[in-house]
Amino acid sequence: MAAKQPPPLMKKHSQTDLVSRLKTRKILGVGGEDDDGEVHRSKISQVLGNEIKFAVREPLGLRVWQFVSAVLFSGIAIMALAFPDQLYDAVFDGAQVTSKTPIRLYGGALLSISLIMWNALYTAEKVIIRWTLLTEACYFGVQFLVVTATLAETGLVSLGILLLLASRLLFVAISIYYYYQVGRKPKKV
């Protein structure tokens, strides 16, 4: 009995066969719209996702605010570390400093926060930007409460202290505004 020869293999040119290409794309699940209304050109882009939808839509002025905050934190930190007497005098109008150590510790803490602010200025990650904005808002809020409590204890009211309190409320409002703006869900394009 002679062995039956298999038929010769026929090469299929699927690149030129439109029906075959469409069937292959349908089986792979690419080419059609997904749940979000996006059309993926390949399985890889479907699995990895589209980087455009992960990009942060930055609110107008966010990077300027981050820069101003980083400069503000750095400047006050350096002033507290190098010139604690002058910083205390500028805020509390002529009151005498009993110890420079707490002011210098305050400067060290501010310098640490300023390093975080400088690094957040160069990131595009939404979570990091939101956490730094929340850190700012908490810091300014706590500072407002501490200065208000100090005013209640000492009874010293000056223009410098009132300006400090007003600026802290403004900074809390700006930081919270940007915090919520960065956290908003982007609109469908």
Side-chain angles (χ1 to χ4, degrees):
M1 194 161 176
K4 189 174 182 188
Q5 288 282 12
L9 293 175
M10 302 214 18
K11 239 183 180 182
K12 189 170 188 180
H13 298 286
S14 63
Q15 294 299 327
T16 58
D17 186 5
L18 183 60
V19 175
S20 177
R21 281 180 54 205
L22 290 175
K23 283 181 183 176
T24 304
R25 293 179 68 77
K26 188 171 185 174
I27 290 169
L28 287 174
V30 294
E33 289 187 9
D34 63 2
D35 296 338
D36 296 329
E38 294 181 16
V39 177
H40 297 281
R41 296 190 178 269
S42 70
K43 195 66 175 174
I44 292 173
S45 70
Q46 186 179 16
V47 171
L48 294 179
N50 190 355
E51 70 276 354
I52 293 171
K53 74 176 169 185
F54 295 115
V56 176
R57 297 186 68 118
E58 295 178 355
L60 189 63
L62 173 67
R63 294 300 179 173
V64 173
W65 174 246
Q66 286 181 307
F67 179 75
V68 168
S69 296
V71 168
L72 182 76
F73 275 80
S74 299
I76 294 175
I78 290 169
M79 189 170 176
L81 289 169
F83 311 108
D85 294 331
Q86 287 80 2
L87 180 65
Y88 193 84
D89 185 44
V91 174
F92 293 105
D93 275 344
Q96 284 296 47
V97 178
T98 55
S99 176
K100 295 179 184 180
T101 304
I103 299 171
R104 287 197 168 123
L105 287 172
Y106 168 72
L110 274 186
L111 190 61
S112 300
I113 293 173
S114 75
L115 291 175
I116 295 169
M117 299 298 162
W118 282 112
N119 285 326
L121 182 63
Y122 299 107
T123 189
E125 292 187 40
K126 187 191 263 190
V127 174
I128 293 174
I129 294 171
R130 290 191 81 208
W131 271 106
T132 55
L133 290 167
L134 187 62
T135 300
E136 284 180 62
C138 289
Y139 165 77
F140 290 131
V142 167
Q143 189 178 32
F144 177 82
L145 293 174
V146 167
V147 172
T148 304
T150 304
L151 282 179
E153 286 177 3
T154 61
L156 295 173
V157 177
S158 67
L159 182 62
I161 292 176
L162 293 177
L163 286 174
L164 177 75
L165 290 174
S167 68
R168 293 316 173 227
L169 283 177
L170 177 68
F171 294 161
V172 166
I174 293 171
S175 295
I176 289 175
Y177 167 76
Y178 282 124
Y179 175 79
Y180 283 113
Q181 289 299 314
V182 171
R184 274 188 356 192
K185 297 240 187 247
K187 295 178 182 174
K188 291 279 187 185
V189 181

